[in-house]
Amino acid sequence: MNGLAAMLNILRLRAGPQDLPADNGTLIFWVGIALIAGMVIGIPLYGFGQALALNVMDLVVLYAFVAILLSMQGVSDRWRQTFTAMAGTGAVLGLLMAFLMVLAGGPDPAREPEEVATGVVFGMLVLLAWLLLVFGHILQQALGLGSRLVGMLTALGYIVVSSVATQTAIGLFQ
């Protein structure tokens, strides 16, 4: 329960990754939640096998991104809490995005963008902005950055790297 309260406080920007327990149980729990959230979102779009592969790949990209950044700053011992915080907060916000997709009638690649309600699109943009803010907050705390804006720009870098890797993988699967 300690990890859940800390994760919710990280989502509210009232705690940082250092407030999470630095144990394997917490790491495994939140990585599991991240995989489940990714599968809930990915299965309707890609099917089970491709969704699983994409989610595992995304977690590997996240781990590599976190490990490289922390190593460059000389604080590689913070990887477990930083990775856990980013995987966990991403999972929670991803589930909220999935809920909005359900409200919009589910994921339907054939649906025209104009058919999606403005409120749903606005909600998705708000959640995406919140994800960027939370990831920036986590990276600011973990890397000891002086500015949350620098953390957010770093988080944006992760989102770009992850998106390119995912889109490349989707292209390979087709």
Side-chain angles (χ1 to χ4, degrees):
M1 277 308 203
N2 206 12
L4 179 60
M7 193 65 71
L8 292 175
N9 282 328
I10 292 170
L11 279 164
R12 296 178 353 185
L13 308 177
R14 294 186 176 168
Q18 67 276 8
D19 297 308
L20 286 171
D23 60 70
N24 287 333
T26 303
L27 171 72
I28 291 167
F29 174 80
W30 285 107
V31 167
I33 295 296
L35 275 173
I36 291 167
M39 295 302 286
V40 165
I41 296 165
I43 289 174
L45 294 169
Y46 307 111
F48 182 84
Q50 191 172 354
L52 180 61
L54 290 170
N55 282 293
V56 168
M57 184 194 68
D58 190 51
L59 286 168
V60 168
V61 169
L62 176 60
Y63 170 77
F65 189 84
V66 165
I68 290 167
L69 281 178
L70 293 174
S71 178
M72 289 172 53
Q73 287 291 100
V75 290
S76 55
D77 57 321
R78 299 178 185 178
W79 78 267
R80 183 175 285 110
Q81 291 164 301
T82 306
F83 177 67
T84 301
M86 291 183 76
T89 56
V92 172
L93 291 172
L95 286 172
L96 291 173
M97 288 180 191
F99 177 71
L100 284 177
M101 285 173 50
V102 168
L103 288 179
D108 182 5
R111 180 180 25 231
E112 295 296 319
E114 298 83 32
E115 295 177 24
V116 178
T118 304
V120 172
V121 172
F122 180 73
M124 294 291 274
L125 289 173
V126 167
L127 287 174
L128 182 61
W130 193 255
L131 177 76
L132 188 60
L133 181 63
V134 170
F135 276 14
H137 171 72
I138 292 167
L139 291 171
Q140 176 196 16
Q141 298 282 310
L143 297 168
L145 302 173
S147 162
R148 187 168 297 153
L149 178 61
V150 174
M152 289 174 66
L153 290 172
T154 306
L156 183 60
Y158 161 70
I159 291 170
V160 168
V161 167
S162 175
S163 296
V164 167
T166 302
Q167 292 304 310
T168 301
I170 289 171
L172 294 176
F173 290 139
Q174 293 178 349

